[in-house]
Amino acid sequence: MKVRVQNHWPPGHIRTPAYLRGKTGEIEREIGLFNNPEQNAYRLPPQQRRLVRVRFTMAEIWGDAAETPDDVIEAEIYAHWLEPA
Amino acid sequence: MPHDHHDHDHGALSPSGHPYRKDDDIVLSYWQMMEISVRELLIEKGHITAAQVHNQINTMDARSPANGAKVVARAWSDPEFKSALLTDAGQASRDMGFDIGPMHLIAVENTILVHNVVVCTLCSCYPRNLLGLPPDWYKSRAYRSRTVIEPRKVLSEFGVEIAQDVQVRVHDSTADMRYIVLPAQPKETMGLSADELAYWVTRDSMIGVGLPQAPK
């Protein structure tokens, strides 16, 4: 399934790397439910969020500057950062 | 002789041929001060003891890449274990008897088509509870930023050249999972026992910046 990482820039403890925001990838696997670090980091009662591994191509992330376009990066992204692409 | 007189040359080398290291007479950082204060308060108020803190440090220091090497060697020599490891590496490591605490571990397999490498761009996430503390370079800004931009160049600086028909797969440990690379088993080691195989598994091969090596 194709997903896009939301291009949001909120303040706080965010575990969605800047270089992946706004990029489209493919869900590699579902990992399960985890405490949302955006609340956890501040000792607020954390909501449980789905965590998924998303696979991005180097071409998608770096465009023409990609070292090898077909190489990939996989990262864990919380589902509330993802939208259908 | 370095300690024979008081005004000896500080630029001189030690008997083992290394330069003397400067004493770390520096002011504590804000966070070092914070750690000491919180630790001393917790001890003073009776929540924990100094011995417990020290035991925890000893437990972490006792973890080493040798633990991961045993896991990899067993996966090479036991297909059922390998499949369990690729399904849930945390549970498979626990079932082998390793105390890895609550760590969630994923094993990623190198094949003739794929080479995996692990990085944490946000901080320094590393499977410490299995492999012990990460090497210093793993925490450097250079490794953390360059590995997602030019992984092949970074790997070549570690002495690993990846053929163009092999896909490089970079794993950025951004959240709750930790990663261990299951390197491809070298052809020369086919038929060796798990104990013998473990000597071939290097720390760097489990991060993905190295390959298994014949024991020296």
Side-chain angles (χ1 to χ4, degrees):
Chain A
M1 186 190 160
K2 270 192 173 303
V3 287
R4 184 180 307 109
V5 181
Q6 291 179 21
N7 198 2
H8 287 170
W9 299 85
H13 181 84
I14 306 293
R15 306 224 41 111
T16 304
Y19 74 95
L20 294 177
R21 296 188 204 172
K23 305 298 180 190
T24 298
E26 193 84 38
I27 291 190
E28 190 263 343
R29 74 178 87 170
E30 295 273 344
I31 305 167
L33 292 172
F34 288 87
N35 289 340
N36 183 357
E38 292 157 30
Q39 293 149 341
N40 222 18
Y42 302 100
R43 294 281 170 110
L44 299 168
Q47 285 170 299
Q48 297 260 297
R49 298 291 197 184
R50 265 173 56 228
L51 187 59
V52 295
R53 300 192 78 242
V54 184
R55 177 179 293 172
F56 305 87
T57 64
M58 290 290 187
E60 166 67 10
I61 300 171
W62 307 118
D64 291 343
E67 183 186 50
T68 300
D70 295 337
D71 285 345
V72 298
I73 293 180
E74 296 182 1
E76 300 148 46
I77 310 282
Y78 293 91
H80 64 284
W81 274 86
L82 298 174
E83 56 196 23
Chain B
M1 290 289 108
H3 296 291
D4 285 353
H5 54 92
H6 290 295
D7 55 347
H8 63 265
D9 178 3
H10 285 271
L13 300 180
S14 73
S16 62
H18 294 96
Y20 285 103
R21 184 166 149 176
K22 272 193 174 175
D23 280 328
D24 56 349
D25 296 327
I26 47 162
V27 179
L28 291 176
S29 73
Y30 175 84
W31 295 110
Q32 284 173 317
M33 196 97 77
M34 176 79 92
E35 183 274 322
I36 294 169
S37 313
V38 171
R39 170 161 45 86
E40 290 187 346
L41 274 171
L42 286 169
I43 291 169
E44 219 173 275
K45 290 177 180 292
H47 294 289
I48 55 172
T49 65
Q52 282 174 320
V53 174
H54 195 66
N55 281 341
Q56 205 53 43
I57 293 171
N58 279 344
T59 303
M60 185 49 86
D61 281 350
R63 292 179 173 126
S64 85
N67 297 354
K70 285 181 187 154
V71 171
V72 168
R74 176 142 177 226
W76 282 348
S77 52
D78 175 349
E80 253 178 63
F81 178 79
K82 177 178 162 182
S83 124
L85 184 74
L86 292 174
T87 306
D88 183 344
Q91 197 49 49
S93 306
R94 280 185 200 98
D95 291 345
M96 264 188 87
F98 293 111
D99 172 14
I100 59 167
M103 182 170 74
H104 298 278
L105 188 64
I106 289 181
V108 287
E109 183 185 16
N110 285 352
T111 65
I112 50 168
L113 299 173
V114 175
H115 181 89
N116 296 282
V117 58
V118 182
V119 64
C120 174
T121 57
L122 297 175
C123 43
S124 57
C125 300
Y126 185 80
R128 293 165 193 241
N129 287 9
L130 183 65
L131 302 185
L133 298 178
D136 280 347
W137 54 258
Y138 185 84
K139 300 180 275 184
S140 69
R141 273 190 197 279
Y143 181 77
R144 287 162 48 209
S145 54
R146 292 183 57 216
T147 303
V148 290
I149 299 172
E150 45 181 13
R152 287 172 187 264
K153 184 140 190 285
V154 170
L155 290 174
S156 78
E157 289 168 22
F158 277 95
V160 176
E161 302 292 339
I162 305 297
Q164 278 301 323
D165 59 351
V166 174
Q167 182 184 65
V168 171
R169 213 172 266 178
V170 180
H171 301 272
D172 189 355
S173 319
T174 47
D176 293 271
M177 311 307 286
R178 300 294 176 265
Y179 296 88
I180 181 173
V181 174
L182 173 57
Q185 182 176 356
K187 283 194 188 71
E188 316 88 283
T189 67
M190 295 299 168
L192 294 184
S193 71
D195 284 348
E196 293 166 313
L197 287 170
Y199 290 112
W200 286 69
V201 185
T202 62
R203 176 196 67 195
D204 287 1
S205 73
M206 294 182 279
I207 303 174
V209 298
L211 300 174
Q213 274 179 8
K216 295 215 173 71

